[in-house]
Amino acid sequence: MRPYIPVILLISFFSLTSCEDVLDCIINVRPELSDKVLEVGFVDEYYFDNITAQINNEPRDNDYDYYFNVTGRLPEGLEVYYDKYREVIFEGVPKESGRFRITVSLEVVALNGGYYYDDFGNERFNDPLCSDYTSKTYVLAIK
């Protein structure tokens, strides 16, 4: 009887929780910002760089809305643009030098709100994400 206890506990766990949600978290389905170093810019020269986002381990990551927020001070002359195709764009002609610490936050929401109809026509809710939020801090250097 003793060797069956872990199996019984595992079956009970999956019976009481949504198996799909647990598997999604094991697979690590969550939003992710690119792991990159921003390009070094120069005062009075055109600057362009971007940070992209995706949903890790989700082949349908275009089926989500991406909401970005950038906090921190940018050098005068640089602007932030949010592209609906999953990127934050830094563009402009910086007027001051320095190292600028910028935090990019991202929240994703399923386009259909996570609702779908099962085979019997019943409306169901499915959110396959372990988390719908992430953030990352970047350093922008202007010389």
Side-chain angles (χ1 to χ4, degrees), residues 51-69:
I51 295 170
T52 58
Q54 66 179 8
I55 299 179
N56 193 29
N57 296 316
E58 170 61 273
R60 296 168 295 149
D61 52 0
N62 285 331
D63 291 347
Y64 294 81
D65 280 329
Y66 291 70
Y67 298 99
F68 295 99
N69 187 37

PDB file of all heavy atoms in Angstrom, residues 51-69:
ATOM      1  N   ILE A  51      12.858  46.849 -27.934  1.00  0.00           N
ATOM      2  CA  ILE A  51      12.765  45.697 -27.038  1.00  0.00           C
ATOM      3  C   ILE A  51      11.524  44.932 -27.468  1.00  0.00           C
ATOM      4  O   ILE A  51      10.440  45.512 -27.592  1.00  0.00           O
ATOM      5  CB  ILE A  51      12.639  46.152 -25.571  1.00  0.00           C
ATOM      6  CG1 ILE A  51      13.918  46.868 -25.151  1.00  0.00           C
ATOM      7  CG2 ILE A  51      12.343  44.966 -24.669  1.00  0.00           C
ATOM      8  CD1 ILE A  51      13.816  47.564 -23.822  1.00  0.00           C
ATOM      9  N   THR A  52      11.689  43.653 -27.737  1.00  0.00           N
ATOM     10  CA  THR A  52      10.567  42.844 -28.200  1.00  0.00           C
ATOM     11  C   THR A  52      10.015  41.984 -27.063  1.00  0.00           C
ATOM     12  O   THR A  52      10.688  41.740 -26.066  1.00  0.00           O
ATOM     13  CB  THR A  52      10.991  41.938 -29.368  1.00  0.00           C
ATOM     14  OG1 THR A  52      12.064  41.103 -28.935  1.00  0.00           O
ATOM     15  CG2 THR A  52      11.411  42.763 -30.570  1.00  0.00           C
ATOM     16  N   ALA A  53       8.795  41.537 -27.259  1.00  0.00           N
ATOM     17  CA  ALA A  53       8.131  40.697 -26.271  1.00  0.00           C
ATOM     18  C   ALA A  53       7.510  39.489 -26.961  1.00  0.00           C
ATOM     19  O   ALA A  53       7.204  39.519 -28.152  1.00  0.00           O
ATOM     20  CB  ALA A  53       7.049  41.493 -25.556  1.00  0.00           C
ATOM     21  N   GLN A  54       7.345  38.453 -26.184  1.00  0.00           N
ATOM     22  CA  GLN A  54       6.683  37.243 -26.658  1.00  0.00           C
ATOM     23  C   GLN A  54       6.099  36.525 -25.452  1.00  0.00           C
ATOM     24  O   GLN A  54       6.330  36.912 -24.318  1.00  0.00           O
ATOM     25  CB  GLN A  54       7.666  36.323 -27.369  1.00  0.00           C
ATOM     26  CG  GLN A  54       8.729  35.753 -26.449  1.00  0.00           C
ATOM     27  CD  GLN A  54       9.672  34.824 -27.199  1.00  0.00           C
ATOM     28  OE1 GLN A  54       9.631  34.724 -28.409  1.00  0.00           O
ATOM     29  NE2 GLN A  54      10.502  34.133 -26.465  1.00  0.00           N
ATOM     30  N   ILE A  55       5.340  35.493 -25.729  1.00  0.00           N
ATOM     31  CA  ILE A  55       4.867  34.636 -24.652  1.00  0.00           C
ATOM     32  C   ILE A  55       5.653  33.345 -24.762  1.00  0.00           C
ATOM     33  O   ILE A  55       5.565  32.630 -25.764  1.00  0.00           O
ATOM     34  CB  ILE A  55       3.360  34.405 -24.715  1.00  0.00           C
ATOM     35  CG1 ILE A  55       2.659  35.742 -24.569  1.00  0.00           C
ATOM     36  CG2 ILE A  55       2.924  33.431 -23.626  1.00  0.00           C
ATOM     37  CD1 ILE A  55       1.171  35.694 -24.637  1.00  0.00           C
ATOM     38  N   ASN A  56       6.444  33.098 -23.755  1.00  0.00           N
ATOM     39  CA  ASN A  56       7.327  31.939 -23.718  1.00  0.00           C
ATOM     40  C   ASN A  56       6.512  30.645 -23.833  1.00  0.00           C
ATOM     41  O   ASN A  56       5.529  30.462 -23.119  1.00  0.00           O
ATOM     42  CB  ASN A  56       8.109  31.980 -22.397  1.00  0.00           C
ATOM     43  CG  ASN A  56       9.255  31.026 -22.381  1.00  0.00           C
ATOM     44  OD1 ASN A  56       9.826  30.711 -23.408  1.00  0.00           O
ATOM     45  ND2 ASN A  56       9.613  30.580 -21.199  1.00  0.00           N
ATOM     46  N   ASN A  57       6.924  29.775 -24.721  1.00  0.00           N
ATOM     47  CA  ASN A  57       6.301  28.457 -24.926  1.00  0.00           C
ATOM     48  C   ASN A  57       4.844  28.534 -25.363  1.00  0.00           C
ATOM     49  O   ASN A  57       4.054  27.647 -25.061  1.00  0.00           O
ATOM     50  CB  ASN A  57       6.417  27.597 -23.663  1.00  0.00           C
ATOM     51  CG  ASN A  57       7.850  27.291 -23.335  1.00  0.00           C
ATOM     52  OD1 ASN A  57       8.637  26.955 -24.209  1.00  0.00           O
ATOM     53  ND2 ASN A  57       8.207  27.424 -22.067  1.00  0.00           N
ATOM     54  N   GLU A  58       4.481  29.578 -26.083  1.00  0.00           N
ATOM     55  CA  GLU A  58       3.116  29.733 -26.585  1.00  0.00           C
ATOM     56  C   GLU A  58       3.178  30.005 -28.084  1.00  0.00           C
ATOM     57  O   GLU A  58       3.593  31.086 -28.505  1.00  0.00           O
ATOM     58  CB  GLU A  58       2.414  30.876 -25.865  1.00  0.00           C
ATOM     59  CG  GLU A  58       1.071  31.294 -26.444  1.00  0.00           C
ATOM     60  CD  GLU A  58       0.025  30.213 -26.445  1.00  0.00           C
ATOM     61  OE1 GLU A  58      -0.026  29.432 -27.428  1.00  0.00           O
ATOM     62  OE2 GLU A  58      -0.762  30.140 -25.488  1.00  0.00           O
ATOM     63  N   PRO A  59       2.830  29.018 -28.912  1.00  0.00           N
ATOM     64  CA  PRO A  59       2.916  29.221 -30.364  1.00  0.00           C
ATOM     65  C   PRO A  59       1.910  30.247 -30.886  1.00  0.00           C
ATOM     66  O   PRO A  59       2.074  30.780 -31.965  1.00  0.00           O
ATOM     67  CB  PRO A  59       2.628  27.837 -30.940  1.00  0.00           C
ATOM     68  CG  PRO A  59       1.885  27.120 -29.867  1.00  0.00           C
ATOM     69  CD  PRO A  59       2.348  27.691 -28.566  1.00  0.00           C
ATOM     70  N   ARG A  60       0.863  30.556 -30.117  1.00  0.00           N
ATOM     71  CA  ARG A  60      -0.154  31.518 -30.555  1.00  0.00           C
ATOM     72  C   ARG A  60       0.003  32.847 -29.835  1.00  0.00           C
ATOM     73  O   ARG A  60      -0.978  33.464 -29.434  1.00  0.00           O
ATOM     74  CB  ARG A  60      -1.547  30.937 -30.286  1.00  0.00           C
ATOM     75  CG  ARG A  60      -1.836  29.683 -31.090  1.00  0.00           C
ATOM     76  CD  ARG A  60      -3.068  28.986 -30.600  1.00  0.00           C
ATOM     77  NE  ARG A  60      -2.776  28.531 -29.232  1.00  0.00           N
ATOM     78  CZ  ARG A  60      -3.672  28.427 -28.274  1.00  0.00           C
ATOM     79  NH1 ARG A  60      -4.908  28.731 -28.487  1.00  0.00           N
ATOM     80  NH2 ARG A  60      -3.326  28.021 -27.060  1.00  0.00           N
ATOM     81  N   ASP A  61       1.232  33.331 -29.680  1.00  0.00           N
ATOM     82  CA  ASP A  61       1.415  34.558 -28.908  1.00  0.00           C
ATOM     83  C   ASP A  61       0.900  35.801 -29.625  1.00  0.00           C
ATOM     84  O   ASP A  61       0.811  36.868 -29.031  1.00  0.00           O
ATOM     85  CB  ASP A  61       2.843  34.733 -28.405  1.00  0.00           C
ATOM     86  CG  ASP A  61       3.910  34.621 -29.459  1.00  0.00           C
ATOM     87  OD1 ASP A  61       3.579  34.400 -30.632  1.00  0.00           O
ATOM     88  OD2 ASP A  61       5.079  34.750 -29.099  1.00  0.00           O
ATOM     89  N   ASN A  62       0.497  35.683 -30.878  1.00  0.00           N
ATOM     90  CA  ASN A  62      -0.173  36.796 -31.558  1.00  0.00           C
ATOM     91  C   ASN A  62      -1.640  36.892 -31.152  1.00  0.00           C
ATOM     92  O   ASN A  62      -2.325  37.839 -31.524  1.00  0.00           O
ATOM     93  CB  ASN A  62      -0.084  36.650 -33.077  1.00  0.00           C
ATOM     94  CG  ASN A  62       1.289  36.988 -33.592  1.00  0.00           C
ATOM     95  OD1 ASN A  62       1.999  37.795 -33.010  1.00  0.00           O
ATOM     96  ND2 ASN A  62       1.683  36.359 -34.678  1.00  0.00           N
ATOM     97  N   ASP A  63      -2.146  35.902 -30.418  1.00  0.00           N
ATOM     98  CA  ASP A  63      -3.535  35.898 -29.979  1.00  0.00           C
ATOM     99  C   ASP A  63      -3.733  36.668 -28.672  1.00  0.00           C
ATOM    100  O   ASP A  63      -4.730  36.479 -27.992  1.00  0.00           O
ATOM    101  CB  ASP A  63      -4.036  34.459 -29.795  1.00  0.00           C
ATOM    102  CG  ASP A  63      -4.161  33.723 -31.116  1.00  0.00           C
ATOM    103  OD1 ASP A  63      -4.108  34.378 -32.178  1.00  0.00           O
ATOM    104  OD2 ASP A  63      -4.315  32.492 -31.097  1.00  0.00           O
ATOM    105  N   TYR A  64      -2.775  37.525 -28.328  1.00  0.00           N
ATOM    106  CA  TYR A  64      -2.833  38.300 -27.096  1.00  0.00           C
ATOM    107  C   TYR A  64      -2.617  39.773 -27.404  1.00  0.00           C
ATOM    108  O   TYR A  64      -1.935  40.116 -28.361  1.00  0.00           O
ATOM    109  CB  TYR A  64      -1.737  37.848 -26.113  1.00  0.00           C
ATOM    110  CG  TYR A  64      -1.929  36.445 -25.610  1.00  0.00           C
ATOM    111  CD1 TYR A  64      -1.533  35.357 -26.365  1.00  0.00           C
ATOM    112  CD2 TYR A  64      -2.510  36.210 -24.366  1.00  0.00           C
ATOM    113  CE1 TYR A  64      -1.713  34.067 -25.902  1.00  0.00           C
ATOM    114  CE2 TYR A  64      -2.686  34.922 -23.896  1.00  0.00           C
ATOM    115  CZ  TYR A  64      -2.293  33.852 -24.667  1.00  0.00           C
ATOM    116  OH  TYR A  64      -2.473  32.582 -24.213  1.00  0.00           O
ATOM    117  N   ASP A  65      -3.193  40.624 -26.571  1.00  0.00           N
ATOM    118  CA  ASP A  65      -2.886  42.049 -26.614  1.00  0.00           C
ATOM    119  C   ASP A  65      -1.730  42.291 -25.660  1.00  0.00           C
ATOM    120  O   ASP A  65      -1.706  41.741 -24.556  1.00  0.00           O
ATOM    121  CB  ASP A  65      -4.087  42.888 -26.173  1.00  0.00           C
ATOM    122  CG  ASP A  65      -5.108  43.069 -27.269  1.00  0.00           C
ATOM    123  OD1 ASP A  65      -4.724  43.090 -28.454  1.00  0.00           O
ATOM    124  OD2 ASP A  65      -6.306  43.187 -26.941  1.00  0.00           O
ATOM    125  N   TYR A  66      -0.799  43.126 -26.069  1.00  0.00           N
ATOM    126  CA  TYR A  66       0.388  43.439 -25.275  1.00  0.00           C
ATOM    127  C   TYR A  66       0.288  44.892 -24.814  1.00  0.00           C
ATOM    128  O   TYR A  66       0.153  45.794 -25.634  1.00  0.00           O
ATOM    129  CB  TYR A  66       1.658  43.265 -26.116  1.00  0.00           C
ATOM    130  CG  TYR A  66       1.956  41.825 -26.449  1.00  0.00           C
ATOM    131  CD1 TYR A  66       1.172  41.104 -27.342  1.00  0.00           C
ATOM    132  CD2 TYR A  66       3.042  41.188 -25.867  1.00  0.00           C
ATOM    133  CE1 TYR A  66       1.453  39.780 -27.640  1.00  0.00           C
ATOM    134  CE2 TYR A  66       3.331  39.862 -26.158  1.00  0.00           C
ATOM    135  CZ  TYR A  66       2.528  39.170 -27.044  1.00  0.00           C
ATOM    136  OH  TYR A  66       2.812  37.861 -27.329  1.00  0.00           O
ATOM    137  N   TYR A  67       0.334  45.100 -23.504  1.00  0.00           N
ATOM    138  CA  TYR A  67       0.256  46.438 -22.932  1.00  0.00           C
ATOM    139  C   TYR A  67       1.572  46.745 -22.224  1.00  0.00           C
ATOM    140  O   TYR A  67       1.919  46.105 -21.237  1.00  0.00           O
ATOM    141  CB  TYR A  67      -0.913  46.536 -21.942  1.00  0.00           C
ATOM    142  CG  TYR A  67      -2.243  46.299 -22.616  1.00  0.00           C
ATOM    143  CD1 TYR A  67      -2.865  45.063 -22.541  1.00  0.00           C
ATOM    144  CD2 TYR A  67      -2.863  47.319 -23.334  1.00  0.00           C
ATOM    145  CE1 TYR A  67      -4.080  44.841 -23.168  1.00  0.00           C
ATOM    146  CE2 TYR A  67      -4.071  47.106 -23.967  1.00  0.00           C
ATOM    147  CZ  TYR A  67      -4.684  45.864 -23.877  1.00  0.00           C
ATOM    148  OH  TYR A  67      -5.877  45.644 -24.507  1.00  0.00           O
ATOM    149  N   PHE A  68       2.297  47.720 -22.763  1.00  0.00           N
ATOM    150  CA  PHE A  68       3.609  48.090 -22.227  1.00  0.00           C
ATOM    151  C   PHE A  68       3.511  49.367 -21.397  1.00  0.00           C
ATOM    152  O   PHE A  68       2.655  50.214 -21.645  1.00  0.00           O
ATOM    153  CB  PHE A  68       4.599  48.366 -23.372  1.00  0.00           C
ATOM    154  CG  PHE A  68       4.917  47.167 -24.209  1.00  0.00           C
ATOM    155  CD1 PHE A  68       4.279  46.956 -25.418  1.00  0.00           C
ATOM    156  CD2 PHE A  68       5.873  46.252 -23.801  1.00  0.00           C
ATOM    157  CE1 PHE A  68       4.585  45.864 -26.203  1.00  0.00           C
ATOM    158  CE2 PHE A  68       6.185  45.154 -24.575  1.00  0.00           C
ATOM    159  CZ  PHE A  68       5.539  44.961 -25.778  1.00  0.00           C
ATOM    160  N   ASN A  69       4.447  49.493 -20.476  1.00  0.00           N
ATOM    161  CA  ASN A  69       4.629  50.729 -19.733  1.00  0.00           C
ATOM    162  C   ASN A  69       6.123  50.890 -19.497  1.00  0.00           C
ATOM    163  O   ASN A  69       6.793  49.942 -19.082  1.00  0.00           O
ATOM    164  CB  ASN A  69       3.880  50.682 -18.397  1.00  0.00           C
ATOM    165  CG  ASN A  69       3.920  52.006 -17.690  1.00  0.00           C
ATOM    166  OD1 ASN A  69       3.854  53.058 -18.308  1.00  0.00           O
ATOM    167  ND2 ASN A  69       4.033  51.958 -16.385  1.00  0.00           N
TER     168      ASN A  69
END
